[in-house]
């Protein structure tokens, strides 16, 4: 069974104003003192109005959900004690004043390199780590899941607002992240040697300082024996995060089966992959998506194609019933971006904050 781990990034906002609050270090310190939370499970992020949680290695989706509930509770309680709320949203719904960079040498260096990009990096994602037996297999899997990454982005879209306005995009976070020098859909790699050689060449240019700045939407982890899928916005609800953990695990398993069977790796045109990702970020599930072959179809049909593709892997893992039910709910109720827009139409920015806080926090 492929094990998985999930990272979630949250926005901290002032309880009274709903605007980003620079209390990342304080929240991490307070949350780390919770009885059932280890210090290494909660991290500060680039900007002080963000905090990240990291689950342990999980063998089941039930474990993933339990750990995310536990960690959201800890962070929420710590934030409340400081007059803040946590929001599981990809971008801040209300305008932010200047938010200080977390005082770490790496983050200060990034600020010197790209001050405006860092100032606008108030974006939150969820990352799923899926175990792979070795780096060679990891590259095989990476090549095979590339044509599906945009579908995950469309399904996870939860960042329509920026500076108090509707961007017109379902996942504005995707566009913000795409401005870094090494970002977007990962390229095709011949094997792990090719992957490592090309990453070393990027490092040798000096444009990026370390492998942590390889911001591809999926990449090999340099710290763990995992493939890390990074294309999703953070999710409003924990069960939605669980759904994506299950989908990523199934994609990885199916790719490993295809590799073992000697199936040829897909090599779609890179410009089609980029267009598919842009379209997914623009519309989420509200308009057509491109399928893995670059053909436009109704979003629901493309999602159904994904479910057919990963169905055998979901069945083998025992995840099929739960993941299918959650996907059906998503298609019925809409993405996080859809729900943010609905709340804004009814009550403005304050209603968006209240809605996100109500479903993000754990009582």
């Amino acid at each position: 069974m492929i094990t998985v781990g999930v990272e979630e990034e949250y926005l901290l906002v002032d309880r009274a104003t709903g605007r980003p609050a620079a209390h990342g270090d304080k929240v991490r310190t307070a949350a780390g003192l919770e009885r059932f939370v280890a210090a290494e499970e909660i991290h500060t992020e680039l900007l002080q109005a963000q905090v990240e949680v990291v689950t342990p290695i999980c063998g089941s989706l039930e474990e993933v959900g339990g750990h995310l509930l536990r960690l959201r509770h800890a962070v929420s309680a710590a934030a409340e004690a400081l007059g803040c709320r946590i929001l599981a949203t990809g971008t801040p719904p209300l305008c932010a004043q200047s938010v200080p960079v977390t005082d770490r040498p790496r983050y200060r260096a990034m600020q010197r390199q790209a001050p405006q990009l860092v100032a606008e990096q108030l974006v939150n994602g969820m990352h799923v780590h899926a175990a792979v037996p070795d780096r060679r297999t990891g590259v095989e899997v990476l090549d095979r899941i590339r044509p599906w990454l945009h579908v995950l982005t469309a399904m996870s879209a939860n960042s329509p607002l920026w500076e108090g306005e509707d961007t017109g995009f379902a996942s504005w976070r995707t566009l913000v992240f795409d401005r870094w020098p090494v970002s977007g859909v990962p390229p095709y790699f011949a094997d792990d040697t090719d992957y490592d050689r090309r990453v070393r060449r990027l490092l040798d240019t000096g444009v990026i300082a370390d492998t942590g700045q390889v911001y591809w939407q999926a990449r090999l982890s340099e710290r763990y024996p995992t493939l890390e899928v990074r294309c999703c916005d953070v999710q409003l609800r924990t069960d939605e995060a669980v759904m994506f953990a299950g989908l990523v695990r199934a994609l990885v398993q199916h790719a490993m089966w295809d590799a073992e069977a000697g199936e040829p790796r897909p090599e779609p045109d890179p410009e089609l992959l980029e267009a598919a990702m842009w379209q997914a970020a623009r519309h989420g599930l509200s308009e057509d998506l491109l399928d893995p072959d670059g053909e436009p179809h109704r979003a629901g049909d493309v999602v159904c194609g994904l479910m057919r593709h990963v169905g055998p892997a979901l069945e083998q893992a025992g995840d099929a019933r739960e993941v299918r039910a959650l996907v059906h709910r998503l298609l019925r109720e809409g993405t996080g971006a859809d729900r943010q827009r609905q709340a804004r139409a009814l009550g403005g920015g304050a209603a968006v904050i209240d809605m996100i806080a109500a479903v993000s926090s754990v009582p």
Side-chain angles (χ1 to χ4, degrees), residues 285-312:
L285 299 179
S286 65
E287 298 286 347
D288 285 354
L289 291 175
L290 302 187
D291 69 12
D293 296 321
E295 298 293 330
H297 296 281
R298 291 189 308 173
D301 292 339
V302 177
V303 172
C304 288
L306 169 64
M307 296 306 292
R308 287 193 297 272
H309 177 76
V310 300

Side-chain angles (χ1 to χ4, degrees), residues 197-269:
R197 177 185 62 81
R198 289 161 70 177
V199 170
R200 280 197 303 272
R201 289 193 67 187
L202 285 168
L203 292 170
D204 289 345
T205 67
V207 175
I208 62 172
D210 53 52
T211 55
Q213 288 186 279
V214 175
Y215 291 137
W216 290 321
Q217 289 158 343
R219 67 185 184 187
L220 297 185
S221 172
E222 299 300 325
R223 294 191 296 166
Y224 310 110
T226 64
L227 179 74
E228 182 186 6
V229 174
R230 305 164 45 83
C231 61
C232 296
D233 288 353
V234 69
Q235 294 300 284
L236 291 174
R237 304 169 174 143
T238 55
D239 60 2
E240 291 166 331
V242 168
M243 176 185 72
F244 284 106
L247 288 172
V248 168
R249 173 158 72 174
L251 275 170
V252 170
Q253 180 63 78
H254 195 284
M256 289 173 63
W257 286 340
D258 280 352
E260 291 166 3
E263 294 289 337
R265 281 180 274 181
E267 293 189 60
D269 294 336

Side-chain angles (χ1 to χ4, degrees), residues 109-125:
M110 290 174 66
Q111 187 179 39
R112 290 192 296 271
Q113 179 197 33
Q116 191 63 35
L117 292 190
V118 168
E120 296 179 2
Q121 196 65 18
L122 206 57
V123 294
N124 300 309

